[in-house]
Amino acid sequence: MASVKMPQLGESITEGTISKWLKQPGDQVKKYEGLVEVITDKVNAEVPAPLAGVLKEIKVKEGTTVTVGTEIAVIEESMAASQAATPSAPASQPSKPVVAAKGAEVPARAAAAAERTEGRARLSPAVRALIEEHRISDAELSGISGSGIGGRISKKDIEDYVAKRAQPAAANGEQRQRGAEAPPRPAGVAAVPGTPVPLSPMRRAIASNMVRSKQTIPHAWTVAEVDMSNVVRFRQQARDGFKQKEGIDLTFVPIIVKAVVEGLKAVPILNASWSDDGVVMHKDINIGVAVSVEDGLIVPVIHQADRLSIAGLAKVADDLAKRARAGALTIPDVQGATFTVNNPGTFGTILSYSIIASPQAGILAMDAIVKRPVVVDGDAIAVRSMMNLCLSFDHRVLDGVSAARFLQGVRRWLEGFSEQIPVY
């Protein structure tokens, strides 16, 4: 008998929710075959079987949240199962666990290939939870057009369908009530419109971790105003040639990440984590870059970002963003970040304060680049491309002077940007 335990799907993840068992007791499983889907605040992960055998017992029911290391199932290894797992080389090759963004669909694997050929991919745990909650039949489901990648049905598709389905019932109820007097409301009690939406396991996990971060980390923040005119000018001149050579757009993100890397080299206390035994200083600089995806946000990691050029950072960031939106990230892709860069400015924000992703010591939000008049060269006024950078930091790990030194270093690097700074 072999015990299957709740895996740790990220450095800061301490628990997970069993979303769906892909096998049932008595089923044979092959090594590395999908066994169970688990939801955390960062990813939806399909966890593979650690060995070939027969699923003997399921210890944790669907919808239950347990801590990392908890026994969730028992597999009985058998000779027949081992032989069944190795009839050919492709069947025995391990496949990386695939994760999806917060609220996004887990991509279908071999078992769902037939569904994809029919125009629909497998439903995500979040979508299935909504279907069960609203008791949507298979006949109803077949009539819902998926707006996601590859025709997948998203949470929004289900929510829109439920809203439309409720309209006739609401109209009938209004007709029945027309002419009738509404029941009296107690004095001083205001009407609260709307219907509460039950929390999905994903939303509950996110809420729990955000509360934990705010309760355990003494957040402090500071803002620097950055003149991005040199960077904007350089990007305008270089983007066409870069895209022709590399096949991807040269965005502001890799340039900001490069500035952050240089800032962390100068102020390494921000590339650290708090622990009860002391501050843990990280050797590698691994930058998490927030990527917006359908129904959520995911933060894949650029590992060893300090070893990459601006072009290298651009290519890795582009690859991670595309795979995040396609639901094709692997678990290592979202693990090991030592610092995070958030980009709310892509949505036009001008000042953003982000919650730190524990156990990191800081997160930097880059807001929109906006042209506005500023004072330059003494008393002259000029129109410049300005951006706000907001640093949230763990006040246990460092004090304001170190945070300000880091932020001002990032600002000076960006404002001093020139063609002499190598892209490759």
Side-chain angles (χ1 to χ4, degrees):
M1 296 288 186
S3 176
V4 180
K5 297 181 179 180
M6 172 64 72
Q8 184 166 17
L9 302 177
E11 183 179 7
S12 62
I13 294 175
T14 59
E15 62 184 18
T17 300
I18 301 295
S19 171
K20 181 178 178 60
W21 284 101
L22 305 177
K23 296 289 184 179
Q24 295 301 317
D27 289 349
Q28 287 193 346
V29 294
K30 300 176 183 178
K31 189 174 183 179
Y32 304 119
E33 185 178 13
L35 180 66
V36 61
E37 288 178 356
V38 174
I39 296 176
T40 74
D41 68 310
K42 292 185 177 179
V43 297
N44 294 355
E46 187 174 289
V47 177
L51 75 167
V54 176
L55 181 58
K56 193 69 175 177
E57 183 181 2
I58 290 176
K59 295 280 191 177
V60 179
K61 296 180 180 179
E62 293 179 1
T64 305
T65 300
V66 294
T67 57
V68 170
T70 300
E71 184 180 51
I72 58 175
V74 176
I75 293 178
E76 181 179 24
E77 189 172 14
S78 65
M79 183 63 68
S82 299
Q83 292 173 350
T86 56
S88 60
S92 62
Q93 293 297 317
S95 58
K96 291 182 179 179
V98 177
V99 303
K102 297 175 184 178
E105 287 72 26
V106 177
R109 295 170 68 158
E115 282 188 284
R116 265 203 303 263
T117 59
E118 296 173 3
R120 280 179 48 208
R122 267 176 46 191
L123 303 173
S124 74
V127 171
R128 279 195 295 269
L130 278 177
I131 290 171
E132 293 175 3
E133 176 188 339
H134 295 286
R135 300 181 180 180
I136 298 174
S137 66
D138 290 341
E140 291 177 291
L141 194 63
S142 63
I144 300 176
S145 298
S147 62
I149 299 173
R152 297 175 189 156
I153 295 177
S154 68
K155 287 175 62 180
K156 187 176 185 303
D157 296 328
I158 297 296
E159 290 166 351
D160 289 346
Y161 174 77
V162 171
K164 290 178 181 178
R165 188 175 67 173
Q167 286 174 359
N172 292 336
E174 182 180 350
Q175 290 176 356
R176 287 194 298 269
Q177 292 294 327
R178 190 172 296 162
E181 184 179 351
R185 183 181 301 122
V189 178
V192 182
T195 302
V197 177
L199 294 175
S200 67
M202 173 66 72
R203 189 72 253 166
R204 191 178 297 278
I206 294 170
S208 175
N209 279 349
M210 292 299 97
V211 170
R212 186 183 304 116
S213 176
K214 290 291 288 185
Q215 288 180 340
T216 60
I217 297 177
H219 282 62
W221 60 280
T222 184
V223 178
E225 189 178 52
V226 183
D227 186 343
M228 293 288 287
S229 299
N230 289 341
V231 174
V232 170
R233 189 180 304 112
F234 167 80
R235 179 173 176 264
Q236 289 174 341
Q237 296 171 351
R239 64 185 304 181
D240 289 342
F242 187 85
K243 188 165 187 177
Q244 184 176 5
K245 182 176 181 180
E246 302 295 345
I248 60 173
D249 189 23
L250 178 60
T251 69
F252 291 109
V253 171
I255 299 175
I256 299 293
V257 170
K258 186 66 175 177
V260 167
V261 167
E262 297 304 316
L264 293 175
K265 288 179 180 178
V267 188
I269 190 63
L270 260 170
N271 194 53
S273 300
W274 172 265
S275 77
D276 291 336
D277 296 326
V279 175
V280 179
M281 305 293 293
H282 301 297
K283 294 181 180 179
D284 291 333
I285 298 178
N286 302 328
I287 305 295
V289 180
V291 177
S292 61
V293 294
E294 183 183 6
D295 295 332
L297 189 78
I298 192 168
V299 186
V301 182
I302 302 177
H303 292 275
Q304 297 182 327
D306 50 318
R307 302 186 183 184
L308 298 175
S309 63
I310 292 174
L313 291 169
K315 287 185 281 189
V316 174
D318 181 78
D319 172 66
L320 289 171
K322 286 178 178 176
R323 289 195 288 120
R325 293 180 177 122
L329 292 172
T330 62
I331 290 175
D333 288 329
V334 295
Q335 290 181 330
T338 59
F339 189 88
T340 295
V341 173
N342 191 15
N343 184 21
T346 190
F347 300 105
T349 63
I350 58 172
L351 185 58
S352 303
Y353 160 66
S354 301
I355 296 177
I356 300 167
S358 177
Q360 298 168 41
I363 180 171
L364 184 73
M366 49 183 288
D367 283 292
I369 299 174
V370 180
K371 283 190 175 183
R372 55 186 179 82
V374 296
V375 177
V376 298
D377 299 328
D379 295 329
I381 296 178
V383 176
R384 310 290 286 181
S385 297
M386 305 299 294
M387 177 183 69
N388 289 324
L389 290 177
C390 180
L391 172 68
S392 305
F393 61 95
D394 186 339
H395 221 322
R396 298 172 302 179
V397 177
L398 67 154
D399 294 321
V401 62
S402 297
R405 187 179 294 119
F406 163 81
L407 203 53
Q408 292 307 313
V410 172
R411 179 184 63 80
R412 284 193 295 269
W413 192 92
L414 290 169
E415 291 185 344
F417 196 91
S418 69
E419 295 182 357
Q420 279 66 49
I421 294 179
V423 176
Y424 290 90

